[in-house]
């Protein structure tokens, strides 16, 4: 790893945590121990002589910078028994891919089938809203050769319509049937659409695929873009389009962006950053009508009666779990459609596991409260735990949630689970966007966010991961010695 990366990282409990994305690596082996990411680091021989440090390394290891763990290969190819598989994974996002890779890393050599609604091999979907111009091959998590080499079969544009848990069989939309021994459900979520008048007009998008993202950029170039929703997806899209579009407008029901997630003060500071970059906000209102000219979007009408010129509209107003196909399956769903799992990612049906955006699970360091956390990092962790328990390793999920976003060249990092926070303690300067915000509930810090304050979020994540509670009084004084003095 580079000198800069090492200087900013957090060293604790035999592992080093990345200051930017929260991934953790074992300092003895370089193995990836907490996510996000798929690969581990190389380890090198180090010798210290007379205050000089000597590192012995191959040129290849230095150039690659990453190491794929040793994996088993499939010894039971599909030819001759294509109607059955040992492991079936429904959904090829981070949870599904990590599950498949973990099985191979743990020596599993039987058949694995990964099916996805997408036309592409597994890709980095969160990047779609941050880099709308990105092509599918740039977003791919693994090349085609990887899946071939390790015998991970991927069925693209394959929609499961029925799961028969009694006979351990799924039915696809085209009528194809596949039996399984173990099943992972990682279907992800479906974006909510607008329900207003004119919702069927052209050039209104929920960004779900690289093709969606690419079309938005083409339509917005030099023209008027409207984004509905000031959450992460909406704000990332708005930030990206400012240098492409003639105008960018954001419509949001709340009074500030990110209010429920980051609080009013942080939301207002970020809103000002966007306004300084020519983004116009229409807050505490919603869309009442989409007007078209020759079938294509021309205007967005707000309930406040304001009319916005619009050549393209991106809708980012949340998502619902894509679990409709499970309603008659006998697999439990909660009132919102999420799949409840235990700490081992097991559903109520033996041999059936679930992971990713569509699940609720017990969050260990919040007293096992059942939560849904649709983060990229969390999907990785859940996929790994599910795979371990398919192999009867009795692994339990215990990670601290961690996420990040980037807008206008500035990165926001967040760790913890802040839902229900009742106070926000801010240190630093919100105006200068150099701050750390501690989210508290009662006397306890339950989450932290920062901008230009690395590696504090990774430090807090390590403290929370160790099981130590952080008290509100510890962060109110501004004295960070309790945090920065140890383990840096």
């Amino acid at each position: 790893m580079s000198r800069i990366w090492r200087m900013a990282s957090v060293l604790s409990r035999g592992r080093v945590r990345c200051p930017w994305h929260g991934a953790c690596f074992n300092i003895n082996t370089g193995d990836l121990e907490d996510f996000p990411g798929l690969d581990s680091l190389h380890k090198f021989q180090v010798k210290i002589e007379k205050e000089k440090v000597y590192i012995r390394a191959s040129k290849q290891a230095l150039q690659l910078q990453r190491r794929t763990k040793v994996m088993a290969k499939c010894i039971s190819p599909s030819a001759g028994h294509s109607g059955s598989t040992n492991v079936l994974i429904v959904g090829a996002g981070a949870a599904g891919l990590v599950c498949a890779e973990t099985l191979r890393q743990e020596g599993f050599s039987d058949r694995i089938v990964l099916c996805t609604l997408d036309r592409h091999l597994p890709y980095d979907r969160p990047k779609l809203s941050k880099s709308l111009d990105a092509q599918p091959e740039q977003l791919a998590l693994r090349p085609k050769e990887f899946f071939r080499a390790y015998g991970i079969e991927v069925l693209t544009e394959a929609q499961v319509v029925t799961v028969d848990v009694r006979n351990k069989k799924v039915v696809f939309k085209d009528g194809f049937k596949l039996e399984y021994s173990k099943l992972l459900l990682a279907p992800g979520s479906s974006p909510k659409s607008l329900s207003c008048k004119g919702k069927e007009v052209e050039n209104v998008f929920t960004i779900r695929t690289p093709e969606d993202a690419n079309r938005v950029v083409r339509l917005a170039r030099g023209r008027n873009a409207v984004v509905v929703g000031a959450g992460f997806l909406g704000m990332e899209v708005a930030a990206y389009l400012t240098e492409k579009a003639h105008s960018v407008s954001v419509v949001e029901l709340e009074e500030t962006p990110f209010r429920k997630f980051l609080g009013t003060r942080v939301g207002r500071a970020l809103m000002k950053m966007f306004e300084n970059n020519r983004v116009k906000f229409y807050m505490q209102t919603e869309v009442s009508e989409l007007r078209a000219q020759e079938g294509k979007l021309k205007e967005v009408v707000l309930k406040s009666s304001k009319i916005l010129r619009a050549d393209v509209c991106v809708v980012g107003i949340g998502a619902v779990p894509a679990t409709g196909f499970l309603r008659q399956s006998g697999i439990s769903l909660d009132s919102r459609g999420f799949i409840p799992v235990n700490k081992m990612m097991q559903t109520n049906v033996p041999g059936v596991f679930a992971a990713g955006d569509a699940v609720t699970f017990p969050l260990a360091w919040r007293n096992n409260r059942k939560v849904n956390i649709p983060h990229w990092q969390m999907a990785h962790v859940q996929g790994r735990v599910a795979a371990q328990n398919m192999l009867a390793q009795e692994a339990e999920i215990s990670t601290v949630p961690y996420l990040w976003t980037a807008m206008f060249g500035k990165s926001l990092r967040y760790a913890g689970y802040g839902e229900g926070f009742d106070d926000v303690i801010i240190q630093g300067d919100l105006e200068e966007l150099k701050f750390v915000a501690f989210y508290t509930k009662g006397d306890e810090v339950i989450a932290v966010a920062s901008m230009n304050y690395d590696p504090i979020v990774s430090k807090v994540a390590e403290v929370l991961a160790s099981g130590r509670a952080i008290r509100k009084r510890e962060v109110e004084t501004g004295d960070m010695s309790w945090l920065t003095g140890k383990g840096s």
Side-chain angles (χ1 to χ4, degrees):
M1 74 188 84
S2 72
R3 179 174 178 273
I4 294 172
W5 197 93
R6 187 179 72 251
M7 291 281 285
S9 301
V10 178
L11 183 62
S12 173
R13 299 181 297 134
R15 64 186 194 176
V16 62
R17 183 184 284 267
C18 169
W20 303 314
H21 308 115
C24 297
F25 302 88
N26 185 293
I27 60 172
N28 293 314
T29 64
D31 284 352
L32 178 67
E33 290 191 345
D34 203 347
F35 298 87
L38 297 172
D39 291 318
S40 299
L41 298 176
H42 288 280
K43 66 173 184 176
F44 306 112
Q45 288 184 333
V46 179
K47 186 168 68 173
I48 301 174
E49 286 183 1
K50 298 179 181 178
E51 298 184 351
K52 287 186 177 180
V53 179
Y54 297 89
I55 298 174
R56 185 171 183 167
S58 69
K59 283 185 179 179
Q60 185 183 23
L62 288 172
Q63 288 169 346
L64 289 175
Q65 297 184 343
R66 61 180 64 193
R67 171 176 59 86
T68 301
K69 282 186 176 181
V70 175
M71 296 192 200
K73 296 188 178 183
C74 182
I75 59 171
S76 54
S78 60
H81 59 100
S82 58
S84 66
T85 182
N86 298 88
V87 174
L88 174 62
I89 300 170
V90 179
L97 178 59
V98 170
C99 179
E101 290 200 19
T102 301
L103 288 169
R104 290 288 185 246
Q105 289 165 6
E106 296 296 318
F108 183 80
S109 57
D110 287 322
R111 191 180 181 202
I112 300 172
V113 175
L114 193 64
C115 65
T116 174
L117 281 169
D118 266 296
R119 57 190 288 193
H120 305 290
L121 292 172
Y123 62 90
D124 190 341
R125 181 169 276 128
K127 274 189 182 173
L128 291 178
S129 53
K130 299 176 180 73
S131 183
L132 283 83
D133 274 323
Q135 298 302 302
E137 57 272 16
Q138 296 171 305
L139 297 167
L141 293 171
R142 294 294 195 192
K144 189 182 296 184
E145 298 73 36
F146 176 90
F147 296 96
R148 193 179 298 122
Y150 296 106
I152 299 169
E153 300 171 49
V154 184
L155 306 180
T156 55
E157 298 181 274
Q159 182 180 357
V160 174
V161 292
T162 306
V163 177
D164 178 353
V165 296
R166 181 175 295 175
N167 295 303
K168 293 192 169 186
K169 180 171 62 178
V170 302
V171 181
F172 290 84
K173 190 176 182 180
D174 63 2
F176 176 59
K177 297 175 183 177
L178 190 60
E179 295 178 1
Y180 63 84
S181 296
K182 293 283 193 298
L183 174 65
L184 175 72
L185 298 168
S189 56
S190 302
K192 292 179 182 177
S193 301
L194 293 174
S195 57
C196 61
K197 184 180 177 183
K199 62 183 179 180
E200 70 288 340
V201 305
E202 285 185 47
N203 300 340
V204 178
F205 297 87
T206 55
I207 293 184
R208 190 73 188 149
T209 67
E211 289 76 20
D212 292 337
N214 295 170
R215 281 196 67 197
V216 166
V217 174
R218 285 199 299 272
L219 290 165
R221 208 173 296 276
R223 302 171 85 180
N224 303 299
V226 172
V227 176
V228 182
F232 283 97
L233 184 143
M235 295 292 273
E236 287 168 356
V237 169
Y240 191 81
L241 291 180
T242 51
E243 292 186 0
K244 316 284 184 186
H246 171 70
S247 71
V248 179
S249 303
V250 175
V251 179
E252 169 59 45
L253 201 53
E254 296 285 345
E255 60 182 302
T256 59
F258 306 115
R259 189 185 72 82
K260 289 181 180 176
F261 198 81
L262 297 174
T264 301
R265 291 171 65 195
V266 174
R268 196 176 292 129
L270 296 175
M271 184 173 170
K272 187 176 178 182
M273 175 179 71
F274 275 74
E275 289 172 332
N276 290 339
N277 283 277
R278 300 188 306 110
V279 176
K280 180 75 174 172
F281 286 91
Y282 299 88
M283 308 303 285
Q284 295 181 285
T285 188
E286 52 191 324
V287 177
S288 63
E289 184 183 355
L290 299 170
R291 290 180 181 167
Q293 186 175 343
E294 297 178 357
K296 295 180 180 178
L297 180 68
K298 207 64 192 167
E299 293 176 335
V300 174
V301 183
L302 307 183
K303 286 192 174 174
S304 61
S305 300
K306 181 73 178 176
I307 299 174
L308 308 179
R309 291 178 61 189
D311 299 291
V312 62
C313 177
V314 175
V315 180
I317 54 174
V320 294
T323 55
F325 70 102
L326 297 173
R327 286 201 184 101
Q328 307 300 322
S329 68
I331 297 166
S332 292
L333 300 177
D334 70 12
S335 60
R336 297 178 296 163
F338 291 104
I339 310 167
V341 295
N342 62 16
K343 289 182 183 181
M344 300 167 79
M345 309 314 295
Q346 295 166 326
T347 69
N348 64 306
V349 177
V352 178
F353 300 79
D357 292 5
V359 308
T360 59
F361 69 100
L363 188 59
W365 66 275
R366 288 292 302 272
N367 299 316
N368 293 318
R369 177 181 172 183
K370 274 288 183 90
V371 298
N372 168 254
I373 301 179
H375 297 174
W376 188 238
Q377 168 250 11
M378 193 57 70
H380 285 70
V381 177
Q382 292 172 348
R384 179 168 180 78
V385 172
Q388 290 170 319
N389 289 309
M390 285 181 179
L391 302 174
Q393 293 181 4
E394 298 188 1
E396 294 188 351
I397 189 164
S398 61
T399 193
V400 174
Y402 198 112
L403 68 84
W404 66 95
T405 185
M407 301 165 289
F408 303 114
K410 297 186 184 298
S411 294
L412 176 85
R413 312 195 200 289
Y414 182 99
Y417 181 72
E419 185 171 301
F421 68 87
D422 53 31
D423 199 6
V424 187
I425 311 300
I426 294 172
Q427 306 293 348
D429 192 332
L430 272 178
E431 291 287 317
E432 295 294 321
L433 297 176
K434 182 179 172 61
F435 67 88
V436 55
F438 295 97
Y439 297 85
T440 64
K441 187 171 186 179
D443 183 43
E444 189 175 350
V445 173
I446 57 173
V448 60
S450 81
M451 254 187 166
N452 294 310
Y453 233 98
D454 293 335
I456 196 162
V457 169
S458 285
K459 284 180 174 288
V460 171
E462 274 302 296
V463 172
L464 295 175
S466 74
R468 178 191 181 295
I470 304 172
R471 299 299 168 195
K472 185 175 182 178
R473 61 181 177 274
E474 292 181 283
V475 301
E476 283 180 317
T477 62
D479 177 9
M480 298 287 185
S481 59
W482 61 273
L483 182 63
T484 57
K486 188 176 180 180
S488 59

